[in-house]
Amino acid sequence: MGNKTKVMPLIAIIGTSFIWGLSFLSIKVAIGVLPPMTLALSRFVIASILLTILFKIKEKNVKIKKGDIPIMALAGFLGVTVYFYFENNGVKLIAASNAAIIIAAIPIFTLIFETIVFKTKITLKKIASVLISLIGVYFIVGARIEGVSTKDAWIGYLMMFGAVLAWVVYTLITKPLFKKYSQLSIVYYQTLFGTVFLLPFALFEKTNWGLVNNAIILNVVYLGVFCSALGYYLYIYAMNYIGISTASLFLNFIPVVATIGGYFILDEKIGFSQVFGGSLVIFAVYLISWNESVDSKLDETKSLIID
């Protein structure tokens, strides 16, 4: 993999983490008026419209094979519908910081499942990077797991773990599609399927549309355009080049960005533990990125020797 080919996916995944990190601020504003699944449907309707326009311009003649339709549909159902059902309802029941540390378990589960399903090699540096990153997130959110004794809290924690598993399985299902379709095609079809599956959930929710103001609309537009359309595209693009487990590790940048965003936008305080935790996450990402770079160079050297 050339330097340019290596740098672009890293920029894409860092950009994704930045976009998704700020999404928590938008969700915090919008969820006060829009119910969880109505909010999810609203943002993905916007994303679907945008992706449809781009798809028709760039890849209007691309169609998925009949045999791949169930896979695309299942990926959209898990990565959009199921994930946001669990996450939005989970965050509603427990503190956002507690939810963040559970989401930070995604790299660990991804590493385990990827190794089992695709027989990928687990390196010591990759394991160390995941653990260091998880510890960093633990410090960022303040290591507070509160209210576990309540029924709602237990349901909230179970839902967040459901979101983690949904996302991990989504990434594993999506990986084989890289060999057949472009990143845009994958995101386009998965988003359409996921949006359709969101409809029945949203229909059962009651929404007071009279409370929707310009601030709510702007935040939903941000979630739809940047977080759902652009964010998913960049994540799948990066995952195609740097792998599932490495891409998932970068997701631990999300609480770092959310904490910094909260400091500047919501006037939330940042203490030593947040700074220390953020430093650990950055170090972990650097460690895994450096490791992947070295492995890539070794593979290129071996290829030249064999040739």
Side-chain angles (χ1 to χ4, degrees), residues 205-227:
E205 294 180 331
K206 293 183 179 180
T207 305
N208 188 347
W209 295 103
L211 296 177
V212 177
N213 53 31
N214 290 335
I216 301 297
I217 294 173
L218 287 175
N219 280 282
V220 171
V221 169
Y222 170 75
L223 290 170
V225 175
F226 293 94
C227 302

Side-chain angles (χ1 to χ4, degrees), residues 130-151:
V130 170
L131 293 177
I132 292 171
S133 181
L134 185 61
I135 294 171
V137 173
Y138 182 80
F139 276 98
I140 290 170
V141 301
R144 298 185 301 272
I145 303 298
E146 304 164 343
V148 182
S149 59
T150 66
K151 181 180 178 181

Side-chain angles (χ1 to χ4, degrees), residues 56-83:
K56 295 300 180 181
I57 293 174
K58 298 191 69 175
E59 302 184 26
K60 59 182 178 180
N61 296 322
V62 176
K63 294 182 179 180
I64 56 176
K65 299 178 181 178
K66 289 184 178 180
D68 291 329
I69 292 177
I71 300 176
M72 284 284 193
L74 181 59
F77 178 66
L78 290 171
V80 175
T81 313
V82 177
Y83 178 83

Side-chain angles (χ1 to χ4, degrees), residues 17-169:
S17 299
F18 182 82
I19 291 171
W20 285 351
L22 292 179
S23 72
F24 281 94
L25 306 181
S26 290
I27 291 173
K28 194 168 186 177
V29 173
I31 203 71
V33 174
L34 299 176
M37 301 310 285
T38 301
L39 173 58
L41 178 62
S42 299
R43 63 186 283 185
F44 277 98
V45 165
I46 294 173
S48 297
I49 294 172
L50 178 61
L51 288 170
T52 298
I53 295 172
L54 292 175
F55 185 79
K56 295 300 180 181
I57 293 174
K58 298 191 69 175
E59 302 184 26
K60 59 182 178 180
N61 296 322
V62 176
K63 294 182 179 180
I64 56 176
K65 299 178 181 178
K66 289 184 178 180
D68 291 329
I69 292 177
I71 300 176
M72 284 284 193
L74 181 59
F77 178 66
L78 290 171
V80 175
T81 313
V82 177
Y83 178 83
F84 281 100
Y85 172 80
F86 283 127
E87 186 186 65
N88 288 1
N89 283 284
V91 171
K92 190 176 181 179
L93 295 173
I94 63 176
S97 60
N98 295 343
I101 196 170
I102 295 175
I103 291 298
I106 285 178
I108 294 178
F109 282 94
T110 300
L111 189 63
I112 294 171
F113 280 92
E114 187 185 17
T115 303
I116 295 173
V117 177
F118 297 111
K119 310 298 181 183
T120 55
K121 181 182 177 182
I122 296 182
T123 63
L124 183 60
K125 285 184 178 179
K126 185 172 285 189
I127 295 174
S129 298
V130 170
L131 293 177
I132 292 171
S133 181
L134 185 61
I135 294 171
V137 173
Y138 182 80
F139 276 98
I140 290 170
V141 301
R144 298 185 301 272
I145 303 298
E146 304 164 343
V148 182
S149 59
T150 66
K151 181 180 178 181
D152 285 348
W154 277 113
I155 295 174
Y157 287 119
L158 288 174
M159 283 194 167
M160 293 311 302
F161 276 112
V164 169
L165 292 176
W167 187 262
V168 171
V169 177

